[in-house]
């Protein structure tokens, strides 16, 4: 039990004294960059998915018309 208490005290000391936390403005700008990159990636994925879906649909329609 004593080891657990020492571990928690050491962890608290490390978080308070040794970790350099980001400034609020840095955190905001990083969040904005992450959000914009996520939206761009989502739009790209949507575009590729829609394009492949239309291509596959056209190919299947072509095969169905060929064999009917």
């Amino acid at each position: 039990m004593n080891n657990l208490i020492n571990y928690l005290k050491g962890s608290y000391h490390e978080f308070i004294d040794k970790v350099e936390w980001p400034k609020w403005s840095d955190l905001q700008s990083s969040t904005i960059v992450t959000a914009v990159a996520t939206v761009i990636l989502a739009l790209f994925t949507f575009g590729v998915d829609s394009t492949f879906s239309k291509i596959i649909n056209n190919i299947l329609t072509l095969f169905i018309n060929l064999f009917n």
Side-chain angles (χ1 to χ4, degrees):
M1 186 66 175
N2 205 13
N3 287 339
L4 178 63
I5 293 172
N6 287 337
Y7 173 75
L8 292 175
K9 284 181 181 179
S11 296
Y12 178 78
H13 172 68
E14 181 130 3
F15 277 125
I16 297 300
D17 296 333
K18 295 184 180 180
V19 173
E20 185 177 335
W21 298 100
K23 306 282 187 271
W24 182 247
S25 60
D26 295 339
L27 194 60
Q28 285 177 326
S29 64
S30 296
T31 302
I32 290 170
V33 168
T34 302
V36 169
T38 301
V39 168
I40 290 171
L41 184 61
L43 290 173
F44 174 76
T45 303
F46 175 75
V48 170
D49 184 54
S50 296
T51 303
F52 282 143
S53 177
K54 288 177 184 176
I55 290 170
I56 290 172
N57 191 17
N58 289 338
I59 290 172
L60 289 176
T61 303
L62 177 69
F63 280 130
I64 288 171
N65 289 337
L66 279 176
F67 293 113
N68 274 340

